[in-house]
Amino acid sequence: IKMELQQIKEVMKKYEKAWENKDTSLLLSCFTSNGIYQENPLSKPYKGYTKIARFWNKVVVEETRNIKFKLGN
């Protein structure tokens, strides 16, 4: 999928809100149904809504506190 710069900015804004609000539904709206979420290059990738949501709910919603999102330049 090819995205324009404005679309990327909109997705990143949603991603920021999803992190800060621990909002699984909002996070999933940033991905296609077969999208892949990977925390870092050495971590396990999670493919599809079900696996992404399972990871997100355990790691972000249940185990993470005081989230502040900052996008680097």
Side-chain angles (χ1 to χ4, degrees):
I1 295 175
K2 183 176 179 178
M3 296 177 71
E4 299 296 327
L5 181 58
Q6 186 57 37
Q7 291 172 301
I8 294 168
K9 288 179 179 181
E10 290 169 9
V11 169
M12 292 309 298
K13 191 67 174 169
K14 283 199 305 187
Y15 186 71
E16 173 184 7
K17 287 182 180 182
W19 265 100
E20 291 184 343
N21 296 306
K22 299 182 181 183
D23 187 329
T24 304
S25 295
L26 187 57
L27 172 81
L28 293 177
S29 75
C30 297
F31 293 88
T32 60
S33 62
N34 63 345
I36 298 172
Y37 181 84
Q38 188 168 357
E39 268 195 305
N40 65 63
L42 302 176
S43 66
K44 175 183 174 185
Y46 298 92
K47 185 174 182 182
Y49 288 152
T50 301
K51 291 181 181 175
I52 294 170
R54 187 178 306 131
F55 167 80
W56 183 267
N57 287 329
K58 180 175 181 351
V59 174
V60 176
V61 175
E62 294 176 13
E63 298 177 359
T64 307
R65 304 283 179 261
N66 302 320
I67 299 171
K68 299 293 181 205
F69 185 93
K70 182 177 179 183
L71 185 62
N73 293 341

